[in-house]
Amino acid sequence: MVRMTLVLPIDPEANQLLERSPLALLLGMVLDQQVPMEKAFSSPYVLAQRLGHELDATELAGYDPEALVALFAQPPALHRFPKAMAARVQEVCQVLVERYDGDAALLWAEVADGPELLRRVSALPGFGKQKAQIFVALLGKRFGVTPQDWRKAAGDYGDPGAYRSVADVTDADSLRRVREFKQQMKAAAKAAKG
């Protein structure tokens, strides 16, 4: 499997955790809403530090919900909605335990094709079509998870040379271009409503 890099302007150890821990990568994607992507993808590292060890889906799935919220809410909070996102992380980990033996990598291991990968990701709590497509693109572009038709399953996010999402961030310039794209999309959506 070809390994590329995801390079976000976050603590180098947080980037390293995303590269070595499929669960951290998945949880970063879970948290990537209504906060900057740097915040979302560095929060798994902060959570691991607060726990005192590597992230474990089985542990998080069975964690006391109030204690998990407290870990998320501890300043600096891991998300602007710590209670809701602690619950979402726990729900995702519960699905991983029930369907994938607690191993996030099994979510994408040995999938027949891109549409199957998209179906698996879309079945996770909080993963609508767009979020699922972004994660498929992230796996394909940065982590070498490239089953047949993965780009088609990822939709526009799978386009080579695109700057649409975290899947396209490799350095400061690509991050800037992704941010510009997102701002253009927000402005277009606002104009369409207006």
Side-chain angles (χ1 to χ4, degrees):
M1 179 164 77
V2 177
R3 298 287 270 173
M4 284 129 210
T5 55
L6 174 68
V7 181
L8 292 170
I10 57 177
D11 186 309
E13 290 183 27
N15 270 320
Q16 290 167 12
L17 178 64
L18 295 171
E19 295 219 357
R20 77 172 177 269
S21 169
L23 180 59
L25 183 69
L26 179 61
L27 295 184
M29 193 71 223
V30 168
L31 297 172
D32 189 19
Q33 61 186 58
Q34 299 181 309
V35 295
M37 70 177 77
E38 299 92 324
K39 176 74 173 169
F41 284 92
S42 62
S43 286
Y45 175 69
V46 178
L47 179 60
Q49 286 184 307
R50 290 177 184 178
L51 289 167
H53 52 77
E54 293 279 319
L55 300 176
D56 178 88
T58 303
E59 177 188 17
L60 291 170
Y63 215 84
D64 175 81
E66 288 182 19
L68 190 58
V69 170
L71 282 175
F72 268 68
Q74 177 185 324
L78 299 183
H79 195 276
R80 67 186 276 213
F81 301 110
K83 186 174 182 177
M85 296 314 284
R88 178 64 46 78
V89 161
Q90 189 158 49
E91 291 166 0
V92 167
C93 287
Q94 288 165 348
V95 170
L96 291 175
V97 169
E98 291 165 14
R99 297 184 196 159
Y100 302 102
D101 200 28
D103 184 350
L106 293 180
L107 177 67
W108 54 84
E110 299 176 22
V111 292
D113 55 28
E116 181 187 346
L117 177 57
L118 183 63
R119 278 192 302 277
R120 285 185 179 192
V121 175
S122 297
L124 295 172
F127 278 77
K129 181 180 179 185
Q130 183 179 34
K131 187 185 266 296
Q133 286 183 317
I134 291 170
F135 194 65
V136 168
L138 178 60
L139 289 172
K141 289 180 174 182
R142 301 286 148 240
F143 293 90
V145 179
T146 57
Q148 183 178 346
D149 294 331
W150 73 271
R151 286 190 189 274
K152 188 175 177 185
D156 291 343
Y157 298 102
D159 290 349
Y163 292 96
R164 297 176 182 274
S165 72
V166 66
D168 304 309
V169 176
T170 55
D171 56 24
D173 182 58
S174 57
L175 176 64
R176 178 187 55 75
R177 292 172 76 170
V178 167
R179 283 227 166 88
E180 287 171 358
F181 173 79
K182 288 183 174 194
Q183 289 169 349
Q184 290 168 2
M185 292 298 99
K186 282 182 184 174
K190 196 173 188 179
K193 286 182 183 176

